Amino acid sequence: MAKPGKSSKASKSGRAGRSTAGVIEVPQGTRPAGPVAGVYYIDTGDCELLPDPDNNNGWLLKINGVLSSHIDLADPLFLDFEYMRWIAALVESRWPREDKPKLRALHLGGGACSMARYFNAAYPDARQVVVELDGKLADYVRGWFELPKAPLLRIRVGEAREVTESLTPDTRDLIIRDVFAGAFTPRALTTREFNAHADAVLAPDGLYVVNSGDAPDLKNARADAATIADTFEHTMIIADPAMLKGRRYGNMIMAGSHVPFGDDPTLARKLLGGAVPAHIWNDAQVRAFAAGTPVRHDPPAASAQ
């Protein structure tokens, strides 16, 4: 649910430190030289790298049995996951590629760095930081996929909230939150207090984008929307009609900004023209969708003992 895309049979391995058939052991202190299919131990469990059966240049990455990312080694501008295409279309609506902006982007959640590779190709002058909790996974991804080097793209190993809170205000144009623990984003990355930290890190015309996964009851999506709407003056949602109507499990892309999104017909056409046509909800529709839903907050601090 959290990461829509190609479906393939999950593979589970044993715990780190145990010899398990089918697990590729990479010597400590070394990095793989290109992608090799198999199961790998990482700091948070295991991951599986699979060749894409529909694309000779494509690779699929599963983390702890959940499909996480897709990479096309020959074409960084190819995004296999529809929700990533929606994010790309939204960002390009705000910052047209032909203007060649020096985009400063922060990605919360790394995986295979699919979106960071895309923006590096779309915006050659971009400076990006990807925050990834799993250090071993980050090292594998760099070895597998020939990612751009710093300062164009840096992978910072750490917990997404802690890293965000440590950053200097007004130093990012774009923040993308795409962190999942199972089907949902960890609560600490969904609260009003966290949103305030993200807002502080963004430039005044910055854009905050989240991948919000949910069940048909849309309870989580409404809470995400309510919290983003409480933080930012302008909001929008991108999703396919079935998801907006609560007819299936899936993902919504939500965004917040202090600058109006406007009415971009090119964006609407791009979203409708994809393999999974998507609709845009404007600020009024987002706020109506979230009406009556409590804003998420951090839990009260524990009383001093």
Side-chain angles (χ1 to χ4, degrees):
M1 169 182 134
K3 298 281 188 177
K6 301 179 186 296
S7 62
S8 49
K9 188 175 180 181
S11 173
K12 295 288 187 180
S13 73
R15 300 293 296 172
R18 293 168 56 184
S19 178
T20 305
V23 174
I24 296 177
E25 300 284 358
V26 178
Q28 187 172 2
T30 66
R31 178 180 289 172
V36 176
V39 176
Y40 297 77
Y41 291 131
I42 55 176
D43 294 335
T44 56
D46 62 60
C47 68
E48 185 175 11
L49 191 61
L50 300 160
D52 182 348
D54 301 319
N55 179 350
N56 290 335
N57 297 308
W59 290 89
L60 296 159
L61 177 65
K62 299 173 77 173
I63 298 175
N64 294 319
V66 178
L67 188 60
S68 167
S69 305
H70 178 277
I71 287 287
D72 185 314
L73 288 176
D75 184 6
L77 290 173
F78 175 77
L79 296 172
D80 191 59
F81 291 180
E82 200 69 36
Y83 85 89
M84 291 189 178
R85 296 180 205 164
W86 299 344
I87 293 174
L90 173 60
V91 172
E92 290 171 9
S93 175
R94 174 63 66 92
W95 295 285
R97 287 164 61 176
E98 57 268 24
D99 292 347
K100 299 181 179 179
K102 295 183 178 180
L103 195 66
R104 302 168 298 171
L106 175 68
H107 302 260
L108 303 179
C113 295
S114 306
M115 292 272 14
R117 285 180 81 242
Y118 180 93
F119 288 130
N120 175 259
Y123 302 102
D125 293 325
R127 295 293 184 269
Q128 302 184 82
V129 174
V130 175
V131 180
E132 171 55 57
L133 180 64
D134 194 301
K136 198 164 188 179
L137 175 63
D139 205 43
Y140 283 155
V141 166
R142 276 220 173 271
W144 288 332
F145 302 130
E146 298 181 355
L147 299 177
K149 293 180 169 53
L152 295 177
L153 173 59
R154 293 192 296 114
I155 300 179
R156 180 167 172 177
V157 176
E159 192 277 321
R161 177 154 178 169
E162 291 178 359
V163 172
T164 304
E165 291 179 358
S166 74
L167 297 176
T168 304
D170 192 13
T171 56
R172 300 295 188 276
D173 303 301
L174 171 67
I175 297 177
I176 298 175
R177 189 201 81 190
D178 192 11
V179 182
F180 284 85
F184 297 100
T185 300
R187 183 182 175 90
L189 299 175
T190 69
T191 65
R192 179 63 174 80
E193 290 75 17
F194 173 74
N195 283 3
H197 289 296
D199 187 20
V201 171
L202 285 168
D205 63 345
L207 181 62
Y208 181 57
V209 181
V210 310
N211 179 16
S212 178
D214 209 355
D217 63 13
L218 300 182
K219 183 178 178 180
N220 181 67
R222 292 182 196 278
D224 263 345
T227 307
I228 292 170
D230 193 64
T231 309
F232 295 93
E233 297 172 76
H234 305 279
T235 62
M236 72 181 310
I237 286 177
I238 298 172
D240 70 272
M243 188 66 197
L244 292 170
K245 293 176 182 177
R247 293 179 179 171
R248 68 173 183 85
Y249 290 85
N251 298 67
M252 292 185 180
I253 296 305
M254 302 184 183
S257 180
H258 294 296
V259 174
F261 288 99
D263 183 13
D264 181 356
T266 301
L267 173 60
R269 284 195 298 270
K270 279 186 179 180
L271 297 174
L272 286 173
V276 180
H279 290 179
I280 300 172
W281 274 0
N282 62 25
D283 185 73
Q285 290 170 302
V286 174
R287 293 180 190 276
F289 172 70
T293 303
V295 173
R296 282 201 193 100
H297 286 280
D298 288 346
S303 301
Q305 299 296 320

